Amino acid sequence: MYNTIDKLFKNHDISDKELTDLITSAEYDDYLFEKADIVRKKHYGNSVYVRGLIEISNYCKNNCYYCGIRAENSLVERYRLLPDEILKCCETGYSLGFRTFVLQGGEDIYYNDDVVCSIISDIKASFSGCAVTLSLGEKSYLSYSRFFEAGADRYLLRHETADNDHYRLLHPQSMDPDNRKKCLFDLKKIGFQTGAGFMVGSPFQKTGNIISDIRFLKTLNPEMIGIGPFISHKNTPFGNYENGSVQLTLRIIALVRLMFPDALIPATTALGTMLDDGRERGIKAGANVVMPNLSPQDCRKKYEIYQNKLYSGEESAQALLKLRKKISSIGYTVSMERGDHKPENSLT
């Protein structure tokens, strides 16, 4: 198996059978993580890029079976940030040195194209040198184009599972897996730095589904790839399902780093929710992005897409200081730069 990892390290790809063998065995994780770390350092050094996450709304029109803010969850205390409140979050983040803001939310119909474009334009005008990332779900090609023209730089849209049959087990019939994939290709075509990704250990997931996810990513070739463990939420149809494995998630992160050497890969909040040092472990396995929360204090617990989401209750400045210390303690350095994608061919 060491030879297989060496082959992946050199060629950035292996056969489905070889991938299956690596995914299903924990015996070689240390060597896998070591190789992933070498590849990440080749492209991004010891830098861990910090993005300021602003969860703008927990209203959502969709009913994904795994999500705590699904439309049919009547127990959610809903909130929505108005444009001025979003800009205030950016102002706080900018004063702390953040140069990327990630606007994430459910598919909230309040945020029509005009509202979103106005927010993007105001952020770009008010905070020089900043990147704007959106994570607002499925939109039309025209909507994505308008966001890009308004100044948005990146768009995150995790595909969650590339297998259509598996997708339909996780989502209502009103949601179309082919449309979600189409959105990702639209984003790439328009020129966004595009992020896709999937849950590890989601209900009904098999190793073959993970292989399909990786092959879909190979076809899409996104600039950003988000991999996180499934964590159940009690007020969803999957409330009693077992959570995904942290160790398997770390293994997939390492495999993805070796297969996509230049990708921006976050150490997700979900990892930090499942283990105190989960995000640090994600970094050591090949991740190079973290996203501290800049949302207003009274909103952070309300954006609960899964159970017991990591929440420190600290002000942004204090949380950033602790994050710096944690990342430094494992031999890496927080970078407040925009942290744009660096294509593989830019190193040659």
Side-chain angles (χ1 to χ4, degrees):
M1 201 75 77
Y2 292 110
N3 289 338
T4 301
I5 296 171
D6 289 340
K7 178 180 174 182
L8 181 57
F9 176 79
K10 180 180 178 181
N11 300 329
H12 309 313
D13 206 354
I14 49 178
S15 70
D16 287 358
K17 171 63 167 61
E18 290 168 320
L19 267 177
T20 299
D21 291 342
L22 284 176
I23 289 169
T24 55
S25 174
E27 184 178 350
Y28 306 93
D29 282 354
D30 288 346
Y31 190 65
L32 183 67
F33 298 163
E34 178 187 330
K35 289 295 187 180
D37 190 45
I38 291 170
V39 169
R40 186 266 316 282
K41 286 178 177 174
K42 174 185 174 184
H43 286 80
Y44 294 101
N46 282 337
S47 295
V48 176
Y49 297 111
V50 175
R51 324 298 202 191
L53 176 64
I54 305 170
E55 294 161 335
I56 67 174
S57 172
N58 68 354
Y59 284 91
C60 190
K61 67 179 184 181
N62 293 328
N63 267 306
C64 304
Y65 299 150
Y66 47 82
C67 185
I69 64 169
R70 62 197 306 265
E72 290 183 7
N73 183 3
S74 61
L75 300 177
V76 178
E77 184 181 352
R78 303 287 178 177
Y79 77 91
R80 173 187 296 130
L81 299 185
L82 298 177
D84 285 350
E85 294 174 298
I86 294 171
L87 286 171
K88 184 67 177 176
C89 294
C90 292
E91 183 180 337
T92 298
Y94 194 80
S95 68
L96 292 171
F98 287 86
R99 292 301 179 263
T100 291
F101 300 113
V102 181
L103 309 188
Q104 182 181 72
E107 294 198 21
D108 182 348
I109 59 174
Y110 167 81
Y111 297 103
N112 60 35
D113 290 0
D114 289 340
V115 171
V116 174
C117 288
S118 177
I119 292 169
I120 296 166
S121 298
D122 286 347
I123 293 173
K124 285 290 194 173
S126 301
F127 307 105
S128 176
C130 284
V132 173
T133 302
L134 303 178
S135 183
L136 303 176
E138 298 177 26
K139 307 289 182 182
S140 68
Y141 188 93
L142 177 60
S143 294
Y144 287 146
S145 296
R146 288 192 62 190
F147 299 162
F148 190 73
E149 290 164 5
D153 303 275
R154 307 170 188 146
Y155 203 103
L156 308 176
L157 182 67
R158 295 211 313 191
H159 65 278
E160 301 302 3
T161 175
D163 182 278
N164 285 11
D165 291 337
H166 186 218
Y167 186 94
R168 292 188 176 96
L169 294 173
L170 305 181
H171 304 86
Q173 289 299 308
S174 58
M175 297 182 69
D176 181 0
D178 291 328
N179 185 66
R180 199 164 189 88
K181 293 172 188 173
K182 178 182 180 296
C183 286
L184 284 162
F185 286 105
D186 285 348
L187 290 162
K188 287 279 292 185
K189 183 177 180 180
I190 289 165
F192 279 99
Q193 292 182 44
T194 302
F198 57 93
M199 294 179 288
V200 174
S202 60
F204 316 112
Q205 186 184 68
K206 298 179 173 62
T207 301
N209 299 131
I210 297 174
I211 301 293
S212 295
D213 288 322
I214 291 172
R215 293 305 173 201
F216 171 72
L217 291 172
K218 275 291 187 183
T219 301
L220 178 67
N221 194 29
E223 288 76 20
M224 301 172 286
I225 301 174
I227 309 292
F230 164 74
I231 305 178
S232 65
H233 191 291
K234 63 181 180 180
N235 298 322
T236 69
F238 294 150
N240 293 321
Y241 280 68
E242 184 178 348
N243 291 337
S245 160
V246 170
Q247 193 64 24
L248 178 56
T249 301
L250 297 174
R251 194 177 308 141
I252 302 301
I253 287 173
L255 287 170
V256 166
R257 169 57 67 198
L258 291 172
M259 298 185 80
F260 302 85
D262 57 9
L264 293 159
I265 302 175
T268 63
T269 302
L271 280 172
T273 296
M274 293 191 72
L275 281 179
D276 287 344
D277 63 344
R279 285 189 295 189
E280 291 91 319
R281 291 192 187 195
I283 292 166
K284 291 164 75 173
N288 64 333
V289 172
V290 289
M291 295 194 285
N293 203 322
L294 293 176
S295 306
Q297 286 278 357
D298 61 344
C299 296
R300 295 183 193 179
K301 284 191 73 69
K302 298 175 187 175
Y303 196 83
E304 191 178 64
I305 54 180
Y306 48 79
Q307 202 74 30
N308 301 316
K309 182 182 166 193
L310 181 66
Y311 171 72
S312 68
E314 297 164 340
E315 293 296 333
S316 299
Q318 184 183 4
L320 181 59
L321 181 61
K322 284 192 173 183
L323 181 65
R324 285 184 185 276
K325 289 181 178 178
K326 282 187 172 184
I327 290 177
S328 176
S329 72
I330 58 171
Y332 301 88
T333 303
V334 162
S335 172
M336 305 300 286
E337 299 173 6
R338 280 174 50 116
D340 287 300
H341 173 251
K342 297 177 182 178
E344 168 92 356
N345 58 16
S346 69
L347 298 182
T348 58

